[in-house]
Amino acid sequence: MQFFKRIVIIAKNNGWITADPFANYKIRIKKVGRGYLTQQEIYIIMKKKFSTERLERVRDIFIFSCFTGLAYIDVKNLCKSNIRTSFDEKLWIMGKGEKTGVNFNIPLLDIPKQILDKYDSTLPDDKVLPVLSNQKMNGYLKEIGVICGIDKELTFHLARHTFATFTLTKGVSIESVSKMLEHTNINIIMRCHEDKLNLRGGLISSLDENQSYDNE
């Protein structure tokens, strides 16, 4: 609707129309809650034993995104050179978003590190994860959701929202979370995750602590 209002303004300024049909119309933005996975749902997916390697790999990459917040294309492009030791002497994921062009700096937690270790030195071109095409990934994620009994559509968007919930409930500032998700406007994450800001200490806040990614 905002797009059409801009068109009308241009048309009026150029004399193509004489009156603004939206003059007395006020746009109201409805807040919509974004889905995310709970601690139990993540645990179920993490520990599920799959009969095929393709599902296991897609699951690993999805869980990696849940704990890093990286978009599909950024996970696909991730190389060893993006894993660096930062000022705190800990490993971080550093790079620039393919679509946003915004730099990201994300601490490498234990579970995603275990996933990287699992595929270490097994891939060409310095890549760190065996990422398939977006279409195949989404198709296999749907299959994984059914197998695991998760009544939510598993997507990389869901993984990113899960990461936002994870970090916000851990007490990470909304400014830091916004930067890790490559948002240039803090209002974006505030609108999407306003209901999570008071959940600190709950849900999936302790999932990465003292957890093993061993699902053999």
Side-chain angles (χ1 to χ4, degrees):
M1 186 60 71
Q2 288 177 317
F3 174 74
F4 286 113
K5 286 197 70 173
R6 287 196 294 269
I7 293 177
V8 169
I9 291 173
I10 293 173
K12 186 178 178 182
N13 290 340
N14 284 276
W16 300 333
I17 59 176
T18 58
D20 182 357
F22 294 103
N24 297 318
Y25 183 84
K26 186 176 182 180
I27 296 176
R28 294 179 175 84
I29 299 176
K30 184 179 179 180
K31 294 181 180 179
V32 179
R34 299 299 181 100
Y36 57 90
L37 293 176
T38 65
Q39 175 175 339
Q40 182 62 22
E41 289 169 334
I42 293 179
Y43 187 82
I44 290 172
I45 297 172
M46 281 174 49
K47 296 301 180 181
K48 184 67 178 179
K49 295 181 180 179
F50 294 101
S51 59
T52 63
E53 186 178 60
R54 61 178 175 84
L55 292 182
E56 180 181 345
R57 289 187 170 190
V58 171
R59 181 269 310 280
D60 291 346
I61 296 164
F62 176 76
I63 292 297
F64 182 86
S65 185
C66 285
F67 282 91
T68 61
L70 288 174
Y72 162 80
I73 189 61
D74 295 327
V75 175
K76 183 178 177 65
N77 292 338
L78 206 62
C79 296
K80 289 183 179 179
S81 57
N82 295 118
I83 312 301
R84 308 170 193 169
T85 302
S86 188
F87 63 92
D88 57 0
E89 300 301 321
K90 295 181 180 180
L91 291 176
W92 285 61
I93 304 172
M94 302 180 182
K96 178 178 290 187
E98 175 75 18
K99 291 185 177 180
T100 64
V102 177
N103 291 329
F104 55 78
N105 297 281
I106 304 166
L108 183 60
L109 301 177
D110 189 52
I111 286 177
K113 184 180 183 302
Q114 290 179 54
I115 294 174
L116 292 184
D117 290 343
K118 180 177 179 178
Y119 296 99
D120 186 33
S121 301
T122 64
L123 302 169
D125 302 324
D126 203 35
K127 297 295 184 182
V128 295
L129 290 170
V131 182
L132 303 174
S133 69
N134 198 16
Q135 183 178 9
K136 287 184 177 180
M137 292 289 290
N138 287 330
Y140 293 154
L141 281 174
K142 290 181 180 179
E143 190 175 345
I144 289 171
V146 172
I147 293 173
C148 293
I150 306 297
D151 191 23
K152 295 173 183 175
E153 184 178 2
L154 302 187
T155 64
F156 273 90
H157 284 299
L158 182 68
R160 281 167 62 80
H161 292 309
T162 298
F163 171 77
T165 300
F166 175 87
T167 48
L168 289 172
T169 57
K170 285 282 283 187
V172 179
S173 72
I174 193 169
E175 292 83 4
S176 296
V177 175
S178 182
K179 289 179 180 178
M180 286 188 281
L181 291 175
E182 305 166 42
H183 291 319
T184 56
N185 188 341
I186 193 174
N187 291 328
I188 296 175
I189 194 168
M190 289 186 70
R191 287 199 304 269
C192 295
H193 300 281
E194 183 178 12
D195 59 325
K196 319 296 190 312
L197 297 179
N198 295 321
L199 293 177
R200 295 179 178 181
L203 292 177
I204 57 175
S205 61
S206 62
L207 185 60
D208 189 71
E209 298 171 3
N210 302 316
Q211 286 284 346
S212 170
Y213 194 69
D214 181 13
N215 42 47
E216 299 297 329

